[in-house]
Amino acid sequence: GAVVSQHPSWVICKSGTSVKIECRSLDFQATTMFWYRQFPKQSLMLMATSNEGSKATYEQGVEKDKFLINHASLTLSTLTVTSAHPEDSSFYICSASFEGPRSPLHFGNGTRLTVT
Amino acid sequence: AQSVAQPEDQVNVAEGNPLTVKCTYSVSGNPYLFWYVQYPNRGLQFLLKYITGDNLVKGSYGFEAEFNKSQTSFHLKKPSALVSDSALYFCAVRDPYNAGNNRKLIWGLGTSLAVNP
């Protein structure tokens, strides 16, 4: 149980275009979803926390107008990278939580974004 | 400030030998502690957690971890390493008393484990 599906697994786009990444909880309702960015051989950087039906809370230094997060339902959150640039190339991972703080997060398999 | 330290960027062990991946934390109170594993180009998988009770917790794939409150450590261990254990390991801590966001995790930088045949 507790499966999180992230799509696409990889995407290549041209500079200036926008890319949408979907994160779905398949067998549970995710009250909270977290979006992370991971650089090569580095740890996870939390970008934002989203709660269903409300605006996402962005971490300091993350541009909310560039990284649009929508958590429209209890099973779906999307991250849209707008006007992508090569420096946005990275590995993006979503995670979902539906239980209390004693429970682990459930992660998607990540999306490798390459901006050319 | 709250933080998690994984002092070793890389750990190398021979297959069949015991392995330890270290984690120490600086979080007030009684935090919840987690270990995750990440295989190349994949998301993270939960291995085990400590919430309360017995200091030695057992998790997936034969891993275990020992919570030491006095040393504020939560080292990951396995008695006999497998080549397939080679991956990136993350320690994470949650402050359950952070009422504003008690699901948020504080992450270590990760330790790359290489098990040599």
Side-chain angles (χ1 to χ4, degrees), chain A residues 14-53:
Chain A
K14 292 186 176 180
S15 187
T17 62
S18 295
V19 173
K20 180 184 284 189
I21 302 169
E22 291 189 349
C23 182
R24 293 180 183 272
S25 55
L26 297 186
D27 50 3
F28 65 97
Q29 293 184 324
T31 50
T32 305
M33 286 189 173
F34 300 91
W35 286 95
Y36 291 91
R37 182 173 180 176
Q38 186 177 32
F39 295 95
K41 298 185 180 180
Q42 292 192 18
S43 187
L44 303 169
M45 182 192 82
L46 178 64
M47 299 175 67
T49 303
S50 74
N51 294 294
E52 184 267 337

Side-chain angles (χ1 to χ4, degrees), chain A residues 7 10 28 30-31 39 48 50 65 68 73 81 90 105:
Chain A
H7 179 82
W10 60 271
F28 65 97
T31 50
F39 295 95
S50 74
D65 294 331
L68 300 178
S73 75
V81 183
S90 194
L105 294 180

Side-chain angles (χ1 to χ4, degrees), chain A residues 2-3 7 12 19 21 27-29 32 38 41 67 72 77-78 83 93-94 105 108 111 115-116:
Chain A
V3 177
H7 179 82
I12 300 173
V19 173
I21 302 169
D27 50 3
F28 65 97
Q29 293 184 324
T32 305
Q38 186 177 32
K41 298 185 180 180
F67 299 99
S77 177
T78 60
S83 186
I93 313 174
C94 73
L105 294 180
T111 297
V115 185
T116 61

Side-chain angles (χ1 to χ4, degrees), chain B residues 26-85:
Chain B
S26 176
V27 176
S28 59
N30 298 307
Y32 301 153
L33 305 162
F34 301 83
W35 274 103
Y36 290 84
V37 59
Q38 184 183 28
Y39 297 99
N41 295 310
R42 301 295 295 272
L44 278 69
Q45 296 177 32
F46 166 70
L47 280 179
L48 50 77
K49 66 179 179 180
Y50 174 82
I51 303 299
T52 187
D54 193 352
N55 289 344
L56 184 65
V57 294
K58 295 185 183 295
S60 306
Y61 312 121
F63 283 92
E64 57 189 31
E66 186 167 12
F67 170 64
N68 187 317
K69 186 170 185 177
S70 63
Q71 296 185 2
T72 61
S73 67
F74 189 53
H75 301 331
L76 181 70
K77 301 181 180 183
K78 187 172 183 180
S80 178
L82 300 173
V83 173
S84 57
D85 292 330

